[in-house]
Every structure is written in structure tokens, then in C-alpha cells.
Amino acid sequence: MKAAVIQFPGSNCDRDMKVAIEQEMGAQTILHWHDDAELPIDLDFIAIPGGFSYGDYLRSGAIAARSAVMAAIVKAAKRGVPILGVCNGFQILTESGLLPGALMRNRDQNYICRNVDLHITNNKSIFTRGYKEDTQISIPIAHHDGNYFADEVTLKSLQDNGRIAFTYIDNVNGSQANIAGILNETGNVLGMMPHPERAIDTKHGGTDGQKLFRSLVKELA
Amino acid sequence: MKVRVFVTLKNGVLDPQGKAIHHALEGLGFSGVNDVRAGRLIELDVNEGVSDENIQDMCKKLLTNTVIENFEIERN
């Protein structure tokens, strides 16, 4: 199994993501710099990590979403390669159009860094099938722009098609419909604000993120 | 030539920043402000040959996120 973690100037969860993929998926994991337009063709999994790509200039994720590697990521998404975007990675996925909606400044203007309780809203996806239906997990968040917005039509389509993967039990940032993570139409692209890679070791204070990576292993095996 | 792009949030999109500014104005004792919406001004210095269509294209592809933002272009 082969995975890539995409790095942008300002990414800061790239190393943690690599460790999580290696430890929980046993995948050979490369770090891929954004200005290299050619991604290896034999990747089984691509992760876009958290951080502050380009210093969040213009809008969070806006400039990274227009970088050279993104065309290859869009192509991989169309081929069905599983793609996970966490935090800034989620912002990059919405800015690139791979996921609908936008992530705006948190409702209360604060940067929020703490563990939050999440509801597994869809446990049928390739990323979430290791979790039991309707369970609650605790995963850290660390963001300023995680307030999910989509127009009513998009929101209804997400709800009706089981594309909301995770919701916040308490709406910490003002997201519509408490959305913490969503899937694309074909279910192979997941964007989420919480950081599963920061919850894979008892020393992290919790291991609720493990099942996300392990679900993928089962899918790819 | 200077081109100004005014980026504003679409109607119906909540503006937490505008709300915080509004709140701060009230805190300073300014009354009579009904609402505040914050936006962004982007100034471009472009060659004569850059058309309106070019600038619209820039707005749609990078300068704004059309899911949540509108833009207006001012040339002079």
C-alpha cells in the first residue's frame, strides 16, 4: 500500500499525518511537495494535512487549491483514489471544488483548540465503516476558519445522500447542520475539520482517530 | 492602470466579522448602526491590454470564492 501526504508552504500537520498513515495503515508514505505537478500514479491514498498554507492569505486554502499538484489530485479523485483533507486540507478541498461549500471564520471569531465530541453520522463510507452506527467519538480540533457554509440546495443534497460523515455534538464554530466532515458524491473524498491523526495514541489523550485509518486499510486490502 | 475589486459576502451568508465590528462600535458608544458587513478590497495594477473579461476571470478563479462572495470591479 502506498500513500502520499501533500505539503504546502505552511503545512504543519504533514509529519503527524505521515506517522498516522504509517502506524495505522502500514502504508509506505511519501511527502509530496505542492509544486511537483506529477503525483505517482500507483498511490492508494492521498492526504492533505492541516496547517496554514500560504499563511491563510486571501482565504484559508485558496492559494494552495490553485497549486500545481491539484490537477493531479482532482484526476486521482476521479479515478476513485481515497482522499482525506483535514482542517486546512478540508479548506483546500472546498476551495478546489472537490467538496461543496466553504469554511468561514468561526461564529465567535475565536481560534478553537480542544477536543470535541463528534457524532458518526454516516458509518457506511470507506473512511467511517470501522465506527459503529450512531456512536460518539472525541477528536481534537484546532482552527479559526471551520464554520461550514453551503446554500440550502447543497445542504439538503448532503443530508439526503448520506454525505455528512461527522457532526459536532455541540456546535463549536457555527457550522450549518453542525457539520464537521463531508464526503463527495462518490464517497472517496472526505474533508473534516477535526484531526484524526492527533488521536491515534493513548499518549495523545485518545485513540478515536485510529478507526478512520483502519477502515481505509480494510477498503484497500 | 489601477483596477479595484470589491469583494463582499453574499446576502444570507452570516458575517461573524461584521457582527464583531458592529458589537465593538456599540461598545464605543456609537448608536444608530443597524448592521455591519465586512468585505475586502483588492487593488490590481494592470496593463492596458487586460480586458474586463480577464479581470472577471481572475475574480472567479481566485480572487473570490463564489460560493459565499460577490465581487464588483471598478476601473479608472
Side-chain angles (χ1 to χ4, degrees):
Chain A
M1 202 182 300
K2 209 171 157 189
V5 176
I6 312 299
Q7 292 178 304
F8 300 93
S11 295
N12 63 15
C13 302
D14 38 345
R15 185 258 174 202
D16 286 5
M17 184 63 84
K18 183 174 188 280
V19 169
I21 295 169
E22 287 170 346
Q23 186 178 309
E24 301 303 323
M25 299 177 67
Q28 182 202 335
T29 308
I30 58 163
L31 294 169
H32 185 93
W33 188 240
H34 69 100
D35 68 356
D36 182 353
E38 287 192 33
L39 270 177
I41 198 80
D42 57 346
L43 291 175
D44 300 297
F45 176 49
I46 299 168
I48 309 181
F52 299 88
S53 57
Y54 296 92
D56 282 349
Y57 291 169
L58 192 60
R59 298 175 303 274
S60 298
I63 296 177
R66 277 84 181 168
S67 62
V69 74
M70 283 312 291
I73 291 176
V74 170
K75 268 191 201 155
K78 290 205 172 119
R79 285 202 308 274
V81 176
I83 296 172
L84 169 68
V86 169
C87 200
N88 191 221
F90 185 13
Q91 294 159 344
I92 293 168
L93 288 173
T94 58
E95 278 284 343
S96 70
L98 278 171
L99 290 173
L103 291 146
M104 302 182 53
R105 184 51 45 101
N106 293 341
R107 177 193 51 215
D108 299 330
Q109 297 283 310
N110 295 322
Y111 182 92
I112 311 170
C113 181
R114 64 176 173 88
N115 272 44
V116 292
D117 292 328
L118 299 176
H119 178 249
I120 309 290
T121 311
N122 170 351
N123 78 328
K124 306 284 190 293
S125 81
I126 59 171
F127 301 94
T128 55
R129 55 178 59 148
Y131 296 100
K132 290 201 178 76
E133 202 170 359
D134 273 336
T135 44
Q136 193 172 317
I137 60 171
S138 174
I139 304 260
I141 56 166
H143 62 246
H144 210 160
D145 296 317
N147 179 354
Y148 183 78
F149 175 87
D151 62 50
E152 279 176 32
V153 177
T154 306
L155 212 54
K156 186 159 187 331
S157 154
L158 290 175
Q159 285 165 329
D160 291 351
N161 296 297
R163 288 173 57 191
I164 302 176
F166 303 103
T167 48
Y168 301 107
I169 303 283
D170 292 319
N171 196 342
V172 285
N173 55 21
S175 290
Q176 281 180 322
N178 286 32
I179 285 173
I182 56 166
L183 296 152
N184 70 340
E185 259 176 13
T186 44
N188 65 308
V189 178
L190 170 67
M192 61 192 292
M193 290 312 296
H195 287 268
E197 81 282 8
R198 293 190 193 175
I200 57 156
D201 192 302
T202 48
K203 290 194 274 304
H204 285 159
T207 56
D208 283 351
Q210 284 177 338
K211 285 199 175 85
L212 190 149
F213 297 99
R214 293 180 187 177
S215 299
L216 278 170
V217 176
K218 284 193 187 139
E219 175 64 27
L220 296 169
Chain B
M1 183 175 45
K2 284 271 165 64
V3 174
R4 293 174 139 205
V5 176
F6 294 93
V7 184
T8 52
L9 281 175
K10 285 184 175 173
N11 286 334
V13 176
L14 285 175
D15 179 7
Q17 198 179 182
K19 274 207 160 54
I21 297 168
H22 192 186
H23 191 71
L25 283 173
E26 286 174 339
L28 287 170
F30 291 104
S31 59
V33 179
N34 296 321
D35 194 20
V36 178
R37 308 275 286 169
R40 171 185 280 127
L41 164 65
I42 301 172
E43 273 189 344
L44 309 172
D45 188 346
V46 301
N47 294 337
E48 291 295 328
V50 176
S51 68
D52 285 355
E53 287 72 34
N54 286 153
I55 293 164
Q56 294 225 355
D57 219 22
M58 293 177 202
C59 289
K60 287 175 190 162
K61 285 190 177 150
L62 177 65
L63 301 183
T64 72
N65 180 340
T66 55
V67 174
I68 49 171
E69 292 168 334
N70 289 324
F71 61 87
E72 271 178 56
I73 298 165
E74 182 189 278
R75 304 182 73 133
N76 49 23

